[in-house]
Amino acid sequence: MSAASPTDFPIAIIGAGFAGIGTAIQLKKAGIDSFTIFERAGEVGGTWRDNTYPGAACDVPSHAYSLSFEQIPTWSRRFAPSGEIQDYLRGITDKWKLRKHMRMKTEIVDARFDEAAGSWTLTTGEDETFTARVVVSCVGGLVDPALPDIKGMQSYSGELFHTARWNHDYDLAGRRVAVIGTGASAVQVVPEVAGEVERLDVYQRTASWVMPKRDKVYSEGYKRLLARFPALLRASRSSKYWLTELLGPIIFLDNKRLAKIGERGSLAHLKHQVKDPELREKLTPSFQYGCKRILISDEYWAAFERPNVDLVTDPIEEIKSNGIETRDGSFREVDAIILATGFALGLASVPFPITGKGGRRLEDTWKDGAVAYKGMNVAGFPNWFILMGPNTGPGHTSVLVYTEAQIAHTVAAIKKIENEGLRYVDVRQEVQDRYNERLQGRMKHMVWSSGCNSWYLSADGSNHSLYPGFAAEYVLRARPFRVRDYEVVA
Ligand code: N01
């Protein structure tokens, strides 16, 4: 692997977002320098490089949505904007001198395990091959835009782009604009562009539960205090984490009485933001709180009070060359359409062909749903570690809590393989099966199975995306690398 220092223990990290960068830092801390990071884009950052739409920000407080081993006291506000998170990722990349390990604009398109050698052969889009003893897949879940299959979309002659591919060269000022979708991306975009455009039509298929955001700017004095007393920063992080854990059951359990607590809070917020009862009615979700991702915003619902913003709830019939027709026969002419329609694939998908032991393909192994041991290892795919894999997403807290546990597990396994000169470790099928049986058994008690449709669910309605429980519990399970759970081949 030419980009890494010469070594007989090459490690490949695929993806340079939070997970890839975090893994690289922890490998360095463990004294392991023999890794190469493959990144298909031209810069680090993943989600935070790609999502630059107006209003893009994290909806988890930054003191919690940053790596615990790379905390900074300088976040400008409670919920940092996307550009600031991207700067943070660039900053820690440079601090740890990770760029010399990176091969940018290099997309891995195929991976194949060689059992005799205990190594993986990775092939790039340019048809180069690399050999790695261990692969850490950090490709992310919400990456490729999901483009809706709406009749006539190809015939639209105005400007059309997805939130994750924002066209910054197109000036929305004074235009008639449509936003399709009302999920986490839309609630951030809508209030930002509402004040700029001549008219904004928001096409809602399903209303979302929205809670107050209570964002705030951090004063220079507060930031200096955090810099001077890092224990305060740790306490801020820890209090935010434990609060989300405490409130977690309201969001993830299928318990109508608990859900009512959240629903009442959200409806009070709606009443405060929207005066017109008819409009409020249209904005009120009909599914149980938590079933889709809870959104936070102090401006989204209020944006519909503006005279230039319309909520359209009639289903879209067709996109014509100059506008959108709904099923009730109305036609709205627009200069631009913004697709806030989410992402394709998800945490439970195969990013490219992966062939493990005995020629088995991950695509076939996962044909009835993605399963992995603790979301990280799949039997028959030795020395392959997935970060943000199946059933590792949270509905209630920072995903990085899960990612950090996976990094700890992976680094511990790599140390074991390297130090003991092992050929490979391969999770035992029965251990993986037992883990997933229990996990899916608990899934029945989670709100995501209560009947709404979301990206959490696969086409058959099963959930291979989220972890059914507390983050703390996942961390306790996932962090240790328990050798007895693996077939160890010397
Ligand atoms: O996507 P979504 P997102 N016609 O899938 C609608 C993360 N994230 O980009 O609900 C009409 O949630 C669809 O309607 P419906 C976060 O994990 C984080 O907003 O399916 N509408 C829905 O309203 C989040 O969960 C942040 O009926 C169509 C919307 O499009 C995930 O990304 C910020 C349609 C898609 O919502 C995805 O969020 C942003 C059609 N044909 C995102 N097709 C943070 O702040 C789809 N829709 C951290």
Side-chain angles (χ1 to χ4, degrees), residues 53 57 59 148 181-185 188 205-206 292-293 340-343 455:
Y53 58 80
D59 59 8
T182 51
S185 301
Q188 296 182 332
R205 193 163 65 178
T206 314
K292 283 172 185 272
R293 190 179 168 94
T341 44
F343 298 89
W455 68 262

Side-chain angles (χ1 to χ4, degrees), residues 42-158:
E43 178 54 304
V44 303
T47 293
W48 304 104
R49 177 199 57 233
D50 295 341
N51 284 274
T52 59
Y53 58 80
C58 188
D59 59 8
V60 173
S62 297
H63 289 171
Y65 193 80
S66 43
L67 296 167
S68 65
F69 42 87
E70 284 300 324
Q71 289 195 64
I72 57 166
T74 50
W75 294 110
S76 65
R77 53 196 312 131
R78 187 181 276 160
F79 298 94
S82 144
E84 207 174 320
I85 305 172
Q86 174 65 355
D87 287 346
Y88 165 81
L89 288 168
R90 274 199 287 251
I92 58 175
T93 297
D94 294 336
K95 176 182 162 191
W96 284 92
K97 301 192 171 29
L98 298 181
R99 291 194 192 270
K100 66 176 188 221
H101 292 269
M102 290 181 179
R103 287 187 60 110
M104 305 310 263
K105 299 199 170 164
T106 306
E107 182 170 9
I108 301 299
V109 297
D110 186 81
R112 202 165 283 270
F113 187 63
D114 177 340
E115 197 172 341
S119 65
W120 285 91
T121 301
L122 303 179
T123 307
T124 72
E126 302 290 310
D127 223 16
E128 280 181 280
T129 54
F130 296 88
T131 305
R133 292 293 316 286
V134 169
V135 178
V136 191
S137 173
C138 303
V139 297
L142 303 166
V143 182
D144 297 318
L147 302 179
D149 182 18
I150 300 175
K151 187 175 157 201
M153 201 167 88
Q154 309 308 329
S155 69
Y156 182 63
S157 61

Side-chain angles (χ1 to χ4, degrees), residues 31 59 63 70 101 109 169 242 307 346-347 353 402 407 410 451 482 488:
D59 59 8
H63 289 171
E70 284 300 324
H101 292 269
V109 297
D169 295 331
W242 286 110
L347 303 179
Y402 298 65
I407 292 173
T410 301
R482 284 200 324 195
V488 174

Side-chain angles (χ1 to χ4, degrees), residues 13 18-32 35 37 67 69-70 88-89 91-93 95-98 407 411:
I13 298 173
F18 257 110
I21 293 170
T23 303
I25 292 174
Q26 290 298 47
L27 283 173
K28 285 230 167 196
K29 284 190 176 174
I32 301 170
F35 58 87
I37 306 173
L67 296 167
F69 42 87
E70 284 300 324
Y88 165 81
L89 288 168
I92 58 175
T93 297
K95 176 182 162 191
W96 284 92
K97 301 192 171 29
L98 298 181
I407 292 173
V411 172

Side-chain angles (χ1 to χ4, degrees), residues 342-362:
F343 298 89
L345 304 176
L347 303 179
S349 52
V350 183
F352 45 80
I354 300 170
T355 310
K357 238 164 60 177
R360 76 178 76 173
R361 288 152 39 94
L362 189 59

